[in-house]
Amino acid sequence: GSQEGGATRMFELLSIHEMCSLDIIITLHRMGRDSGAEVQGKGCAELCNLAFSPENRVAVGTKGGIEAVVRALGLHWSRSEIQDLGCSALRNLAASEENRVAIA
């Protein structure tokens, strides 16, 4: 439907560099504990940066960025820097109505 077309257009707006970065970041996040707190924190920071752009928000959410951030928050609940970065990423992602449904 129209949502699929909108998501496709969002992916087209991302540069090749951003798409590769997004895939790598989300893959590292999905590795969980094995990727370590430092990688998880940097991943949250990068997803936060990518999601700052309205054109990227839906793509980050569609490709699993929300789940990746929530996983990092859960795995590293005692690390304040990851909590801060993860919450900032979710704040940026929540600026998109489509992502708010997934975040809730």
Side-chain angles (χ1 to χ4, degrees):
S2 64
Q3 283 186 319
E4 287 177 355
T8 300
R9 282 190 294 282
M10 290 298 153
F11 286 124
E12 290 171 358
L13 291 172
L14 288 171
S15 71
I16 291 173
H17 172 73
E18 288 170 324
M19 284 299 291
C20 292
S21 296
L22 180 57
D23 288 338
I24 291 166
I25 292 163
I26 292 172
T27 298
L28 288 172
H29 264 303
R30 287 185 178 147
M31 292 170 63
R33 288 193 197 278
D34 295 338
S35 64
E38 185 176 346
V39 172
Q40 295 281 311
K42 288 182 180 184
C44 285
E46 289 299 321
L47 289 174
C48 182
N49 289 336
L50 284 170
F52 185 76
S53 168
E55 294 82 19
N56 294 346
R57 288 181 187 130
V58 174
V60 171
T62 302
K63 293 196 62 97
I66 295 167
E67 294 84 1
V69 171
V70 170
R71 181 174 175 80
L73 291 170
L75 288 172
H76 303 287
W77 57 270
S78 65
R79 303 286 302 263
S80 62
E81 68 276 9
I82 293 176
Q83 296 298 307
D84 184 47
L85 291 166
C87 288
S88 294
L90 290 177
R91 178 198 62 225
N92 287 349
L93 288 163
S96 160
E97 188 172 337
E98 291 176 54
N99 288 339
R100 280 195 294 272
V101 172
I103 292 169

